[in-house]
DNA sequence: CTCTGGCCTCAACCGAGGTTGAGGTCAAGC
DNA sequence: GCTTGACCTCAACCTCGGTTGAGGCCAGAG
């Protein structure tokens, strides 16, 4: 196995891939998108600092709960760029996400607990339901829950009250 | 406005679009994918039963918390196909999703609360962390958290222990 | 009878989030 | 000094979740 040597604090792309479980191509992609950074050796190979593993774990965990790479990048951009982030830095990032993650957790709870009373009930009370929240910031661009226009319950009542049909 | 008549239980695609906040093209798309169904009039127009509004609300809510259309379809397929689902049907569906939604909620809590101790701590305890869970069923195909191979903490220790580099 | 608006189909396109493959460089080991 | 394998770049391709547009049908109003 040629060129397995790295200093204690530097990791090759293959090492990061193996240890994070993310494909090399995805790491390249994240780097192009500015979510992670690398230095280069004299022969143009990437070297990652160890905190990259944390960044990647953060990326995958966030992504897995439905947050877009763009939003993840914005969060990561709040970490200090020119020193290794400390636990306090990560804690600040964590705190900044609390409210937004709380929103998402609430939505999941709503979906889990209130499915029956909200959707399964006889009343079709969708227009007051908290499942159909006004938009939130975390969602990938247009995919958020849309607010239902306040429409009377009687059928075929589409007069001229700003239809809110999404143009998107 | 021509052809606004529908029976009390039938909705046109435009009505469903307006009342659910989902674009007509998306409704067509959902129908192609088998997430909703329609009957046709003599002149080939779609007519939706009223429970379609519930289905669509369910689809959007689920989607919004990061669940793929494929998984949503599988859930909806458990509803009875040849009668209007009752509240009990929706309740069963809801119950079936509880565990999976619970998993997702737990992951969000982990991301929110344990970011600091898990990622931000000094120990890099990623391989035991519950953020890096074994795969779950809900994730869009390959995007789930990947299990890290059990790798020793010392650097450059990639010998022949089944690398588990994802082929994907 | 024509005009209008809502609906239809089908194909092309889009952005996100990557993967695959061709072709090339470099360093360690035999 | 050749081979091997890890790495490089760049372009093409893929799936998902839709949107857009062209071209056409049909029903009701004027």
């Amino acid at each position: 196995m040629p060129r397995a040597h790295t200093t204690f604090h530097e990791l090759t792309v293959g090492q990061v891939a193996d240890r994070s479980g993310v494909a090399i191509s995805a790491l390249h992609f994240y780097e192009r998108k500015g979510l992670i950074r690398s230095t280069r050796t004299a022969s143009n190979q990437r070297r990652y600092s160890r905190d990259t593993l944390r960044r990647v774990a953060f990326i995958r965990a966030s992504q897995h709960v439905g947050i877009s790479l763009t939003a993840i990048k914005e969060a990561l951009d709040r970490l200090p760029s020119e020193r290794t982030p400390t636990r306090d830095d990560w804690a600040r990032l964590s705190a900044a996400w609390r409210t937004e993650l709380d929103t998402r957790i609430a939505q999941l709870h709503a979906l889990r607990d209130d499915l029956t009373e909200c959707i399964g009930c006889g009343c079709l009370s969708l227009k007051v339901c908290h499942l159909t929240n006004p938009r939130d910031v975390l969602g990938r661009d247009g995919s958020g829950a849309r607010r239902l226009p306040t429409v009377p319950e009687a059928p075929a009542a589409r007069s001229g009250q700003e239809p809110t049909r999404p143009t998107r």
Side-chain angles (χ1 to χ4, degrees), chain A residues 12-62:
Chain A
T12 68
V13 69
Q15 286 166 344
V16 174
D18 281 358
R19 302 189 58 162
S20 68
V22 168
I24 292 181
S25 61
L27 294 173
H28 287 180
F29 180 76
Y30 293 159
E31 193 169 333
R32 275 206 303 290
K33 295 290 177 180
L35 282 94
I36 56 178
R37 266 162 297 125
S38 66
T39 56
R40 298 297 179 114
T41 64
S43 60
N44 198 35
Q45 293 199 355
R46 289 170 177 83
R47 286 298 180 271
Y48 295 98
S49 63
R50 312 205 115 239
D51 63 290
T52 300
L53 289 175
R54 289 175 196 167
R55 290 179 84 99
V56 174
F58 178 80
I59 292 166
R60 301 304 279 189
S62 306

Side-chain angles (χ1 to χ4, degrees), chain A residues 123-168:
Chain A
C123 69
L124 193 62
S125 62
L126 291 173
K127 60 188 177 305
V128 296
C129 175
H130 45 300
L131 282 184
T132 59
N133 262 334
R135 56 189 62 255
D136 75 314
V137 268
L138 276 180
R140 47 183 74 199
D141 297 331
S143 81
R146 329 214 116 257
R147 202 184 14 189
L148 299 174
T150 321
V151 81
E153 202 57 19
R158 306 161 54 190
S159 21
Q161 3 115 291
E162 49 175 16
T164 322
R165 179 89 62 84
T167 315
R168 331 227 268 128

Side-chain angles (χ1 to χ4, degrees), chain A residues 90-102:
Chain A
W90 284 103
R92 257 190 300 281
L93 192 164
S94 177
W97 270 33
R98 273 193 106 83
T99 53
E100 298 174 351
L101 291 177
D102 279 342

